[in-house]
């Protein structure tokens, strides 16, 4: 929907349209700005810039609302399996049981990785970060599947399903390799989450007995991470994909963007921070003061968000799940107490209240992963596993949109003005 508008910018008047989204979000269409005025906009960090229109996910950061395809995240988290969410994000509707069965079978068929690719793992040092391995393995898939065609819906679908099947095997294999353990192959009778736990924790003598509490918690975490509209890694996927780079290379770029500690890498940093506080005698107030100190670069990882200026709805669900999992497993994790104390102090401290800094999705997730036996350096891989259907859905939405263009921002140049080159001896 659009209304016309006139924007007065200094001496310029721009005929614009006001674009209104289905939840009444509004934006100025400035596509005619440069041709009309010779000026561009400058918005470092893109806090005011909409780069696309999308049907997939709605966030109201002020109210703390997150919905996938219109469904509240809380309902999806309570009622669905992760593969149903993959289907919802990709195809726009929740699957019926036949569609769900067919979709799960297709993913299962793609779980195994090419035997040659198993040897790739031998090339990495044992200390390699699993995110380095994951991004390399995903882009390496382009070497095995080069017949991509973004004009062919069946081939697009095959590429998507292949990644949904194989990324979790790469993730589990990177863990096995870094622990000197043999690879465990997926089993056809297990579902997505059970298979991942099996590939991580079974051994040659004994199959891992899926603990329903852990399987349920992992399913929940994957759902809560599945999409978050135009975040840094999804925007990266759209940026790289806009050049029509192949899907494997494109998703690998998203994985790299996710790795940063200001984005998905924060979940690893949170647990490292909580452990540091624990080892420092539990004095969490000292760390809160460090985070408030303008002369220090210290941050409380797991706090703050570009979009949420209210409690992150995902953090709310995850903190309750963390309590449930620890109770059910009878685990008394001192990190949970430190986390709750940090949250309490931050929610009542002027510094955090004024800046609207609340716990984000990464604050409590590591406590659950840790209870599952997943090592800290795998946490961001777990995030990638969850975010994969979101990246794939945004990629497909973009490449199937006939109006889609290569993404190419502009800049305001601030370097030297024209000067002449002197021969090397005269410089
Ligand atoms: N601890 C202490 N102070 C903080 C924190 C924090 N975690 N986050 C923001 N602030 C302060 C900033 O110093 C700034 O203060 P100022 O106004 O006095 O200068 C103010 O709050 C606004 O912060 P910005 O950095 O401008 O906020 P921005 O939207 O650019 O950044 C971000 C958001 C990157 C998430 C930031 O809050 C942060 O670094 N948090 C910690 C890392 C983290 O948890 N990242 C995961 C985010 S969720 C996700 O990506 C999956």
């Amino acid at each position: 929907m659009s209304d016309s508008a006139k924007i007065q910018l200094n001496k310029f008047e721009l005929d614009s349209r006001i674009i209104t989204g289905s939840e009444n979000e509004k934006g100025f269409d400035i596509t005619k700005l440069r041709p009309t005025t010779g000026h561009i906009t400058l918005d470092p960090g893109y806090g005011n810039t909409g780069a696309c229109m999308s049907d997939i996910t709605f966030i109201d950061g002020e109210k703390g609302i997150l919905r996938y395809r219109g469904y509240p995240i809380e309902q999806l988290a309570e009622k669905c399996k992760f593969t149903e969410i993959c289907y919802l994000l990709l195809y726009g509707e929740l699957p019926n049981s036949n569609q769900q069965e067919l979709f799960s079978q297709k993913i299962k068929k793609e779980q195994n990785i090419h035997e040659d690719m198993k040897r790739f793992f031998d090339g990495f040092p044992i200390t390699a970060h699993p995110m380095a391995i994951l991004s390399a393995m995903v882009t390496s898939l382009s070497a095995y599947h080069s017949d991509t065609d973004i004009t062919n819906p069946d081939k697009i679908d095959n590429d998507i399903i292949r990644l949904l099947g194989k990324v979790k095997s790469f993730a589990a294999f990177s863990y096995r390799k870094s622990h000197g353990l043999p690879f465990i192959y997926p089993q056809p009778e297990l579902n997505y989450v059970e298979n991942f736990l099996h590939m991580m924790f079974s051994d040659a003598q004994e199959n891992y007995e899926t603990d329903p509490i852990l399987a349920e918690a992992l399913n929940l975490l994957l759902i809560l991470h599945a999409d978050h509209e135009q975040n840094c890694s999804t925007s990266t996927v759209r940026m790289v994909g806009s050049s029509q780079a192949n899907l494997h290379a494109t998703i690998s770029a998203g994985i790299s963007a996710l790795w940063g500690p200001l984005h998905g890498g924060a979940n690893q940093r949170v647990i490292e921070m909580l452990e540091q506080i624990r080892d420092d005698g539990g004095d969490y107030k000292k760390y809160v003061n460090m985070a408030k100190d303008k002369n220090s670069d210290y941050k409380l990882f797991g706090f703050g968000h570009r979009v949420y200026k209210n409690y992150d709805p995902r953090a709310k669900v995850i903190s309750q799940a963390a309590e449930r999992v620890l109770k059910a497993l009878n685990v008394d994790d001192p990190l949970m107490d430190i986390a709750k104390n940090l949250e309490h102090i931050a929610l009542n401290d002027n510094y955090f209240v004024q800046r609207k800094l609340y716990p984000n999705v990464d604050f409590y997730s590591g406590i659950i992963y840790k209870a599952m036996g997943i090592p800290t350096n795998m946490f961001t891989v777990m995030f990638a596993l969850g975010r994969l259907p979101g990246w794939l859905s945004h990629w497909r939405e973009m490449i199937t949109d006939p109006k889609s263009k290569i993404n190419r921002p502009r800049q305001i140049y601030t370097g030297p003005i024209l000067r002449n080159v002197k021969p090397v001896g005269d410089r």
Side-chain angles (χ1 to χ4, degrees):
M1 206 177 110
S2 67
D3 294 320
S4 62
K6 279 197 190 305
I7 309 175
Q8 196 75 39
L9 293 157
N10 198 353
K11 61 181 175 155
F12 301 109
E13 193 175 82
L14 177 71
D15 280 322
S16 169
R17 291 182 308 153
I18 295 178
I19 314 285
T20 306
S22 51
E23 288 283 354
N24 215 24
E25 287 181 299
K26 293 195 187 288
F28 291 115
D29 173 354
I30 55 151
T31 45
K32 296 281 181 300
L33 178 67
R34 192 167 175 279
T36 311
T37 68
H39 290 42
I40 60 167
T41 55
L42 184 64
D43 185 22
Y46 308 129
N48 303 282
T49 298
C52 63
M53 293 172 77
S54 175
D55 294 348
I56 302 171
T57 287
F58 171 69
I59 302 176
D60 183 330
E62 273 69 34
K63 295 192 182 131
I65 292 174
L66 170 61
R67 294 182 201 136
Y68 300 159
R69 303 277 189 190
Y71 293 111
I73 190 67
E74 295 80 2
Q75 288 184 30
L76 294 170
E78 191 191 325
K79 298 186 175 154
C80 295
K81 294 258 173 287
F82 176 60
T83 45
E84 291 174 73
I85 301 301
C86 297
Y87 189 101
L88 171 69
L89 291 171
L90 283 164
Y91 305 114
E93 295 297 338
L94 283 166
N96 61 30
S97 15
N98 288 342
Q99 291 165 328
Q100 167 66 6
E101 179 57 26
L102 196 66
F103 182 62
S104 297
Q105 287 306 333
K106 282 202 224 167
I107 297 176
K108 274 185 190 176
K109 283 203 178 121
E110 289 292 347
Q111 293 181 120
N112 282 313
I113 66 173
H114 194 292
E115 280 297 299
D116 287 355
M117 287 192 90
K118 276 174 55 192
R119 289 206 293 277
F120 289 20
F121 289 89
D122 295 336
F124 293 104
I126 199 117
T127 51
H129 195 285
M131 283 295 274
I133 300 179
L134 186 68
S135 63
M137 294 306 291
V138 169
T139 205
S140 300
L141 274 175
S142 346
Y144 291 82
H145 304 280
S146 53
D147 63 335
T148 52
D149 177 0
I150 57 165
T151 61
N152 179 332
D154 290 338
K155 286 202 172 184
I156 291 174
D157 224 42
N158 290 346
D159 286 351
I160 287 174
I161 299 284
R162 180 182 314 120
L163 278 164
L164 285 173
K166 294 199 192 316
V167 167
K168 77 169 186 310
S169 307
F170 291 148
F173 282 18
S174 72
Y175 164 80
R176 305 288 299 182
K177 176 71 195 167
S178 66
H179 287 71
L181 299 166
F183 298 142
I184 298 288
Y185 288 88
Q187 289 188 347
E189 69 278 11
L190 299 179
N191 70 25
Y192 187 97
V193 164
E194 291 163 349
N195 244 325
F196 178 72
L197 291 170
H198 158 71
M199 285 191 279
M200 288 282 286
F201 300 124
S202 284
D203 62 40
Q205 279 72 45
E206 199 179 350
N207 270 346
Y208 170 83
E209 282 272 324
T210 311
D211 182 331
I213 293 162
L214 297 186
E216 191 189 308
L218 180 54
N219 182 61
L220 178 87
L221 285 169
L222 294 175
I223 291 175
L224 293 171
H225 285 86
D227 192 41
H228 215 234
E229 45 117 309
Q230 309 309 320
N231 56 83
C232 178
S233 55
T234 304
S235 299
T236 301
V237 165
R238 282 188 178 259
M239 173 64 86
V240 176
S242 78
S243 76
Q244 302 188 353
N246 74 70
L247 179 61
H248 311 105
T250 300
I251 295 298
S252 174
I255 292 170
S256 301
L258 186 76
W259 194 359
L262 298 188
H263 189 18
N267 60 9
Q268 173 172 344
R269 295 293 184 97
V270 168
I271 288 291
E272 288 166 354
M273 171 186 80
L274 296 176
E275 285 171 348
Q276 188 183 11
I277 298 174
R278 178 198 62 200
D279 298 344
D280 197 12
D283 185 2
Y284 56 88
K285 289 184 184 154
K286 179 172 128 188
Y287 289 82
V288 172
N289 288 335
M290 269 159 55
K292 288 161 59 177
D293 182 355
K294 281 274 123 202
N295 298 315
S296 141
D297 286 340
Y298 190 80
K299 277 175 187 245
L300 283 190
F301 279 94
F303 276 86
H305 198 277
R306 171 60 62 76
V307 177
Y308 289 122
K309 302 302 166 198
N310 201 325
Y311 210 106
D312 182 333
R314 301 166 300 172
K316 219 177 258 176
V317 178
I318 296 176
S319 75
Q320 290 160 2
E323 298 266 19
R324 266 199 319 274
V325 168
L326 295 185
K327 193 165 170 225
L329 298 180
N330 213 8
V331 171
D332 184 16
D333 186 347
L335 301 190
M336 184 69 181
D337 298 330
I338 297 171
K340 283 201 288 195
N341 284 330
L342 276 181
E343 176 184 341
H344 179 74
I345 196 164
L347 292 183
N348 293 289
D349 186 295
N350 258 345
Y351 175 95
F352 291 86
V353 173
Q354 277 167 7
R355 288 168 181 75
K356 301 192 168 128
L357 301 172
Y358 293 84
N360 59 46
V361 68
D362 295 316
F363 192 57
Y364 285 104
S365 60
I367 292 187
I368 305 183
Y369 293 137
K370 190 166 164 274
M372 282 175 188
I374 294 174
T376 310
N377 70 356
M378 279 284 290
F379 289 1
T380 314
V381 167
M382 302 306 295
F383 194 148
L385 215 51
R387 184 55 53 88
L388 181 63
W391 292 330
L392 295 168
S393 307
H394 282 273
W395 174 78
R396 193 168 64 178
E397 186 176 66
M398 179 188 64
I399 56 142
T400 54
D401 176 357
K403 292 203 199 104
S404 204
K405 289 178 165 195
I406 187 165
N407 287 355
R408 203 319 186 167
R410 287 185 175 261
Q411 62 164 14
I412 303 284
Y413 174 68
T414 56
I417 58 167
L418 179 66
R419 48 189 178 157
N420 293 317
V421 178
K422 289 182 187 156
V424 66
D426 297 349
R427 283 176 225 150

